[in-house]
Amino acid sequence: MTSGWESAKDLSKKHAESGGLFVQLKDHGDKIAGVFCGDPYAREVVWDDEDGYTPYDPNGKHAGQRASLRVALNFYVPVEGAMKIIEGGSQWFKSILAVRAKFPLDQWSVEIERQGAARNPKTTYTVLPHEQLDAATRAKIAAMPLHDLERVLQSSPDDGDRLASVG
């Protein structure tokens, strides 16, 4: 049984993380359920401590550096009734592809859970089917506008904590 303090702490965390455009899973055990929508937007980037993820420029500023893959998707979060953006690295995206091979992503919600503390470079994420969607829910989600992922990711400053460096 949880105390009133634990319940208040959990609600405080939920409200602090809701309302933003990006899904944030900041610490070990944080999880979210939702539905992937639309096509992914993939980009090669390099981490810059001052600017976050910046587009990879192999012939200029980033010559000799290794690029990382970042993949963004629109993600409908039912508990908030909102379309958000979720972004992660190559291992995270491979997990999504594995689920997609067995479960149509337009017919299922998924649960994503973080394993690893904030700023831990060995953090991993599980992506598992959560719930099959009924026809009314699928229609509601299909009617929601999607974010222009390329435009948003090129115009927003990246603080590195969208998914606390997923993947």
Side-chain angles (χ1 to χ4, degrees), residues 3 19 31 33 40 47 51 59 61 85 98 114 117 134 142-143:
S3 72
K31 61 177 119 179
W47 176 255
D51 298 323
N59 299 317
K61 181 179 177 182
I85 296 174
R114 180 186 175 113
D134 60 37

Side-chain angles (χ1 to χ4, degrees), residues 69-141:
L69 173 69
R70 299 295 289 175
V71 179
L73 287 147
N74 281 282
F75 191 71
Y76 177 73
V77 182
V79 297
E80 295 181 36
M83 187 66 70
K84 295 193 163 212
I85 296 174
I86 191 164
E87 181 181 35
S90 60
Q91 289 304 106
W92 173 82
F93 190 63
K94 285 179 186 177
S95 296
I96 294 169
L97 292 174
V99 171
R100 183 177 180 257
K102 301 243 181 209
F103 298 89
L105 295 181
D106 62 339
Q107 296 177 25
W108 284 81
S109 66
V110 296
E111 181 181 84
I112 302 170
E113 182 174 359
R114 180 186 175 113
Q115 284 82 44
R119 304 279 183 210
N120 180 347
K122 296 186 185 221
T123 294
T124 60
Y125 293 82
T126 57
V127 180
L128 298 171
H130 181 66
E131 245 176 26
Q132 191 164 16
L133 305 172
D134 60 37
T137 303
R138 287 195 310 268
K140 176 182 175 182
I141 295 169

